[in-house]
Amino acid sequence: MQQIPMTLRGAERLREELNYLKNERRPAIIAAIAEAREHGDLKENAEYHAAREQQGFCEGRIQEIEAKLSNAQIIDISKMPNTGRIIFGTTVTIVNLETEEEQTFRIVGDDEADFKQNLISVNSPMARGLIGKSQDEIALVKTPGGDVEYEIVSVLYI
């Protein structure tokens, strides 16, 4: 199987979610199913069917998280030597040469990406254009609206 790159924080979040699903959510759903069974006829029992549907979603998510964690290649960027090059896990500050707008991103795995928190996927066009570059270099990023040039202001291994 193909390994999935993941930051240490991303793996910890998945483990926390897995723990919650197994130890809190799953028992609550089982209790809801048992309670709904006590109401009688299961064919017309909406509570029972809703609880069974929730159980299916919960079990599916548990399997998905376990699969991701078993195939995860966890990368702790803080333990890597800072070469100044942009790699998976680095925090990068860039300036758009056309608009002078400054942005800071952290390059993370697909499951961890959240643009609102400045976490971009390693497979995004922005990350693909930046990876391998160093501080003070110009990176050309291919976007749907055309090519955009960015100056790399800083590369942090945090």
Side-chain angles (χ1 to χ4, degrees):
M1 282 207 120
Q2 181 178 344
Q3 291 209 315
I4 302 166
M6 190 177 297
T7 63
L8 194 58
R9 287 183 201 152
E12 287 170 3
R13 284 192 197 116
L14 280 181
R15 284 189 194 104
E16 287 170 8
E17 182 181 354
L18 184 63
N19 186 42
Y20 165 76
L21 289 173
K22 283 183 166 182
N23 298 321
E24 294 178 36
R25 188 75 182 126
R26 184 189 270 168
I29 292 171
I30 291 169
I33 290 172
E35 183 181 326
R37 277 192 177 140
E38 293 173 4
H39 293 278
D41 187 13
L42 297 180
K43 290 180 187 170
E44 297 178 13
N45 189 332
E47 289 175 1
Y48 175 77
H49 292 289
R52 291 287 297 180
E53 189 173 320
Q54 286 179 355
Q55 184 181 36
F57 286 129
C58 181
E59 294 302 323
R61 183 65 181 151
I62 287 171
Q63 288 178 355
E64 181 183 355
I65 292 171
E66 286 176 340
K68 285 178 183 175
L69 287 173
S70 69
N71 293 322
Q73 178 184 7
I74 299 171
I75 299 168
D76 186 359
I77 192 69
S78 64
K79 292 192 169 123
M80 299 183 108
N82 188 341
T83 61
R85 292 178 59 87
I86 299 172
I87 58 173
F88 179 87
T90 54
T91 301
V92 183
T93 302
I94 57 174
V95 173
N96 184 321
L97 293 179
E98 195 172 304
T99 64
E100 301 284 322
E101 181 183 347
E102 185 175 287
Q103 296 173 303
T104 301
F105 296 107
R106 184 161 189 227
I107 299 173
V108 296
D110 290 333
D111 295 318
E112 304 168 74
D114 184 352
F115 195 73
K116 291 178 183 173
Q117 294 183 5
N118 295 328
L119 301 173
I120 61 170
S121 167
V122 67
N123 295 315
S124 68
M126 177 70 79
R128 279 190 258 140
L130 294 174
I131 287 183
K133 303 281 191 252
S134 299
Q135 187 171 329
D136 298 326
E137 280 189 48
I138 304 296
L140 182 68
V141 177
K142 296 182 184 303
T143 67
D147 294 350
V148 182
E149 288 186 324
Y150 292 95
E151 180 181 353
I152 300 163
V153 177
S154 71
V155 179
L156 302 173
Y157 284 55
I158 52 175

